[in-house]
Amino acid sequence: MVTVGVLGLQGAFREHVTVLRSLGADTRRVTRPEHLDGIDGIVLPGGESSAMVRLAAAVGLFPELSARICGGLPTFGTCAGLILLADRLTDDTLSGYDRPGGLDITVARNAYGSQRESFVAPLQVHGLDREFMGTFIRAPQIVDPGSAEVLATHAGVPVLVRSGSVWGGSFHPELGPDSRIHQLFLEHVGVPV
Ligand code: GLN
């Protein structure tokens, strides 16, 4: 059985665990560098990226995660997880803290507005035959996809991208009963569940 790590410092990690297990994967909560040993992939959940970078810094997690991502570890970041994977941010609110990076994209934190401006939108996702309902909560916006491949857009703006084995989405694919995006990710990166 494959084991997918889920970054579990803070945020919506339990929901990802539920989806991954429903697809037949084993999961491991990752909070320290040694938890990265032996996993077949990792999901970085939504939550609060400013809290995640601080908690990760205390244990030196992100430089090690960055090395694993560079080494080909399949990685999927959603919402705050997308912020962690972005090679460039439009503001310096997280500067001074390590982030793993790995996606050649530029991201603007909180660009979709406040918690009250959260919304759900139907998305056409490349590789899925039916729409996926994407939940956007204080979502980051991909303002430049760089060299990443765009798999879905909302109002003309990329919301799901991938570059090799690294995927990132500005919405929350783990909320709700639809596991197709996790399945697509696992299939594409060659993690058989
Ligand atoms: N706004 C949050 C941040 O900057 C992300 C929100 C989310 O993950 N739902 O980290």
Side-chain angles (χ1 to χ4, degrees):
M1 188 185 255
V2 302
T3 301
V4 180
V6 180
L7 180 69
L9 295 168
Q10 189 272 344
F13 58 91
R14 291 178 191 85
E15 290 81 353
H16 280 286
V17 167
T18 301
V19 176
L20 291 163
R21 289 192 179 159
S22 79
L23 291 171
D26 209 354
T27 58
R28 181 190 300 161
R29 182 175 173 181
V30 171
T31 57
R32 304 183 60 85
E34 56 268 31
H35 298 157
L36 298 168
D37 290 336
I39 56 174
D40 300 293
I42 187 166
V43 172
L44 314 182
E48 179 50 49
S49 55
S50 59
M52 291 184 192
V53 294
R54 286 176 172 81
L55 292 164
V59 292
L61 178 57
F62 285 167
E64 186 57 34
L65 176 57
S66 177
R68 305 289 175 113
I69 294 172
C70 288
L73 179 71
T75 303
F76 186 15
T78 66
C79 207
L82 173 78
I83 295 168
L84 300 179
L85 292 177
D87 283 348
R88 293 170 300 279
L89 300 178
T90 56
D91 67 64
D92 59 4
T93 48
L94 303 185
S95 63
Y97 290 95
D98 288 317
R99 287 180 300 112
L103 276 176
D104 171 35
I105 60 173
T106 305
V107 162
R109 291 184 65 211
N110 301 317
Y112 284 98
S114 68
Q115 191 83 16
R116 277 171 39 198
E117 292 163 291
S118 300
F119 61 97
V120 179
L123 304 173
Q124 300 282 354
V125 176
H126 185 74
L128 298 184
D129 51 1
R130 283 177 293 105
E131 284 174 343
F132 187 95
M133 295 307 289
T135 302
F136 293 76
I137 304 170
R138 278 193 312 125
Q141 192 166 91
I142 300 170
V143 295
D144 179 3
S147 62
E149 181 186 356
V150 176
L151 298 178
T153 59
H154 175 257
V157 176
V159 293
L160 182 66
V161 297
R162 74 177 169 212
S163 182
S165 298
V166 186
W167 289 41
S170 44
F171 55 99
H172 283 258
E174 79 285 8
L175 299 180
D178 193 343
S179 57
R180 288 177 298 155
I181 290 184
H182 287 77
Q183 194 165 18
L184 203 61
F185 164 69
L186 293 173
E187 277 170 13
H188 182 263
V189 299
V191 176
V193 286

